[in-house]
Amino acid sequence: MMKTSASIKARLPRRSIRTAWAAFLIMGLSFGQVDAQAQSQNQQQGQSSAPESNLVIPQRIVALVNDEPISAYDVVQRLRLTIASIGGIEDEEQLARLQEQVVRNMVDDKLKLQEAAEFELFITDDDAQSAFVRQAQSFNQSPQQFEDYLTRLGITKQAYLEQMKAEIAWGELVNGRLGRMANVAQEEVEQEIARIESNAGQPQYNVSEIYLLIDNPSREDDVRQTAMRISEQIRNGANFAGFAQQFSQSSTAASGGDMGWVTPDQLNPALANALTSIPVGDISEPIRHAGGYYILQLKDRRRVLEADPLDMQLDIRQIFLPITPQSTEAEQIAFFDRFDGMKSTMTSCDSIGDYAQELGIEPSPPLGRLRLRDLPGGLRTVLEDLEMGVPSQPVRMEDGFRIFFVCDRSKPEVPLPQFDEIIDQLERQKLAIMARRYLRDLRRNAIVDYR
């Protein structure tokens, strides 16, 4: 545990962080003035910079975390990064609330890095650079392109690396200190396999989460209001994963809140019940549970050990009447008349070539086996319930009319998860709970002075 000079946790003054920030903004530090502050810092360090403003902004400390400072400059850098992640802000009130949360997140990051240092775990720029490269790839950009993108937003690469250092350090610390306690016994895996088998056919949900911890009972209303504002912004188009990465206090935050596939019995009833009424792609209202508020995003649903109906494979064959500039309406009408007269006798895929010749056209090669989900929406509707061996109605397409036959349907098998996959999932669940308690204890024992 982090050693402190006293065992008493500093309390927030009566004025809120928002009030302090209002005073801070009145002092003149706005987004457009961050560069001026940076230049002032460079001058203090003996570095040259061209003067661009007569405004002298003092080096302001926003918070002391166990006597280690968080500067206003660092906060503004993180704030810019957060605003970019969530897709922007609407007004000054929202900015003020966002600033509060950013400061709290940075306090947590400072605590994580301090605790890592106690165990001589130090994350270098080179360590963070590897994560920076992976992050750039997730945006389909080269590292230089991603750095240029941050620069255009007014964010230094170093600010981004510092946030990554806290995430990397915390992951290594939690795994190193708590990993052994999260070991899963063979009996637990066997119980999980039995649970999965017993749940065959039951709903399963692909879920992402945002978890906001109530670290002090006096902050209950503040956290609830924050959760409501976040859910409103996401419904208005903001990025769920961006909010999760910047605000969620769950171990899934680094992956954008991704929980993977879960069944109702793996969740608290309050969370499981919420998922039953959420349309795929939508989010829940804030849910009070486990000392905080959850916002859930339902990305997909299926049933345990049952294949998605859209993954069904169809053996599709066709009769094709091409339409060319030389085709006449009379020819098309004659084709339809012949088809109507033959349709009741067309009952076998083995005779499709014969049917084509009777209709006066050349046989077409089979389309082969295709997944239902890979077909265009309109064609999917035609084929998903078509009886095998009988023809569809002629379907008008760009190049002509097609009569389709489904000659076979096969559902893919859904195997049980592998033994190692189950171990990994159970260990991650255990670690998530222990990591949350670990951070809670660090907060309780820290001395945090908000300025």
Side-chain angles (χ1 to χ4, degrees):
M1 196 66 61
M2 184 69 200
K3 298 176 182 178
T4 60
S5 57
S7 61
I8 302 174
K9 177 184 175 183
R11 298 292 182 182
L12 284 172
R14 286 186 175 272
R15 68 174 188 167
S16 67
I17 302 176
R18 187 185 310 171
T19 306
W21 265 104
F24 178 40
L25 291 174
I26 290 172
M27 288 177 60
L29 183 57
S30 64
F31 288 171
Q33 294 164 329
V34 174
D35 291 337
Q37 183 185 13
Q39 291 166 0
S40 175
Q41 291 174 335
N42 288 339
Q43 289 171 349
Q44 293 173 10
Q45 297 168 2
Q47 301 175 14
S48 62
S49 61
E52 294 185 26
S53 171
N54 293 326
L55 176 64
V56 178
I57 301 174
Q59 174 68 9
R60 177 170 171 78
I61 302 301
V62 175
L64 286 172
V65 184
N66 295 324
D67 294 329
E68 288 192 19
I70 296 175
S71 73
Y73 176 77
D74 293 335
V75 172
V76 173
Q77 286 284 295
R78 179 71 66 87
L79 186 58
R80 285 174 165 173
L81 180 58
T82 302
I83 291 172
S85 298
I86 66 177
I89 55 174
E90 297 177 356
D91 51 41
E92 291 185 6
E93 182 179 0
Q94 184 183 351
L95 173 63
R97 292 192 180 106
L98 189 62
Q99 288 165 339
E100 288 185 32
Q101 188 62 49
V102 163
V103 172
R104 293 184 187 279
N105 291 347
M106 295 184 72
V107 168
D108 284 349
D109 284 353
K110 187 70 73 173
L111 291 173
K112 293 172 182 177
L113 289 170
Q114 289 173 348
E115 182 72 357
E118 284 289 300
F119 292 90
E120 298 184 351
L121 173 60
F122 301 97
I123 307 301
T124 66
D125 282 355
D126 288 341
D127 297 328
Q129 176 64 24
S130 298
F132 184 86
V133 171
R134 290 193 298 272
Q135 189 72 2
Q137 291 172 344
S138 71
F139 283 89
N140 295 318
Q141 294 180 341
S142 68
Q144 186 59 53
Q145 288 172 326
F146 190 50
E147 184 175 350
D148 292 342
Y149 166 72
L150 294 176
T151 300
R152 290 194 297 272
L153 295 175
I155 303 166
T156 66
K157 178 181 177 181
Q158 190 62 39
Y160 201 92
L161 293 179
E162 290 303 320
Q163 181 175 353
M164 287 185 163
K165 286 179 183 179
E167 294 176 3
I168 296 169
W170 186 243
E172 292 189 11
L173 187 64
V174 167
N175 278 287
R177 293 205 66 199
L178 307 178
R180 295 178 182 177
M181 290 182 280
N183 285 345
V184 175
Q186 181 171 340
E187 180 181 350
E188 293 177 274
V189 179
E190 292 171 350
Q191 290 174 349
E192 179 65 10
I193 291 175
R195 185 193 66 78
I196 293 172
E197 291 176 331
S198 68
N199 281 335
Q202 296 300 309
Q204 192 175 30
Y205 305 101
N206 191 1
V207 183
S208 289
E209 65 176 346
I210 294 172
Y211 175 70
L212 303 179
L213 176 70
I214 301 172
D215 55 1
N216 188 316
S218 65
R219 293 197 63 239
E220 167 95 26
D221 189 60
D222 286 343
V223 176
R224 181 177 61 83
Q225 292 292 336
T226 297
M228 292 177 65
R229 286 191 296 271
I230 288 176
S231 62
E232 180 180 1
Q233 288 180 255
I234 293 171
R235 284 200 169 92
N236 289 334
N239 184 274
F240 188 99
F243 267 107
Q245 288 173 335
Q246 297 296 331
F247 292 112
S248 181
Q249 290 157 301
S250 170
S251 62
T252 60
S255 61
D258 183 26
M259 296 174 65
W261 288 96
V262 296
T263 53
D265 64 328
Q266 292 177 287
L267 300 170
N268 176 271
L271 304 183
N273 290 338
L275 290 173
T276 62
S277 58
I278 304 175
V280 172
D282 205 347
I283 65 169
S284 70
E285 295 295 330
I287 305 165
R288 180 68 164 88
H289 171 60
Y293 282 89
Y294 281 87
I295 302 170
L296 302 180
Q297 181 187 46
L298 179 58
K299 296 184 289 187
D300 201 358
R301 60 161 50 96
R302 65 187 183 190
R303 293 190 177 275
V304 179
L305 297 182
E306 286 188 8
D308 189 321
L310 293 179
D311 287 328
M312 180 182 297
Q313 290 191 340
L314 308 181
D315 179 7
I316 304 173
R317 304 184 192 181
Q318 64 177 337
I319 294 175
F320 175 49
L321 174 66
I323 300 299
T324 67
Q326 290 75 37
S327 300
T328 65
E329 184 176 350
E331 290 173 339
Q332 297 176 38
I333 292 174
F335 172 79
F336 293 138
D337 288 343
R338 288 194 297 271
F339 172 72
D340 287 339
M342 294 174 52
K343 183 176 180 181
S344 61
T345 64
M346 300 169 74
T347 58
S348 171
C349 285
D350 293 335
S351 302
I352 291 177
D354 296 334
Y355 302 148
Q357 290 179 350
E358 289 184 50
L359 289 169
I361 58 178
E362 292 295 323
S364 302
L367 296 178
R369 303 188 71 85
L370 298 172
R371 290 193 310 169
L372 197 57
R373 74 167 62 250
D374 295 331
L375 301 175
L379 183 55
R380 183 189 305 165
T381 302
V382 171
L383 298 180
E384 60 184 340
D385 295 321
L386 184 64
E387 185 179 345
M388 285 197 296
V390 302
S392 70
Q393 288 296 326
V395 178
R396 181 70 163 96
M397 305 186 83
E398 290 184 1
D399 53 354
F401 289 94
R402 297 175 188 268
I403 298 170
F404 293 101
F405 294 79
V406 174
C407 298
D408 186 40
R409 283 188 173 89
S410 60
K411 292 183 178 180
E413 293 185 2
V414 180
L416 278 167
Q418 296 293 315
F419 198 86
D420 289 344
E421 293 175 344
I422 295 177
I423 289 178
D424 181 64
Q425 181 185 23
L426 294 177
E427 287 182 346
R428 283 190 288 110
Q429 291 173 356
K430 286 186 176 182
L431 271 179
I433 295 172
M434 289 189 287
R436 191 178 299 161
R437 292 172 180 166
Y438 193 178
L439 183 57
R440 178 197 62 195
D441 291 341
L442 291 180
R443 292 190 186 110
R444 287 177 176 174
N445 292 313
I447 298 176
V448 181
D449 179 16
Y450 294 97
R451 298 297 181 88

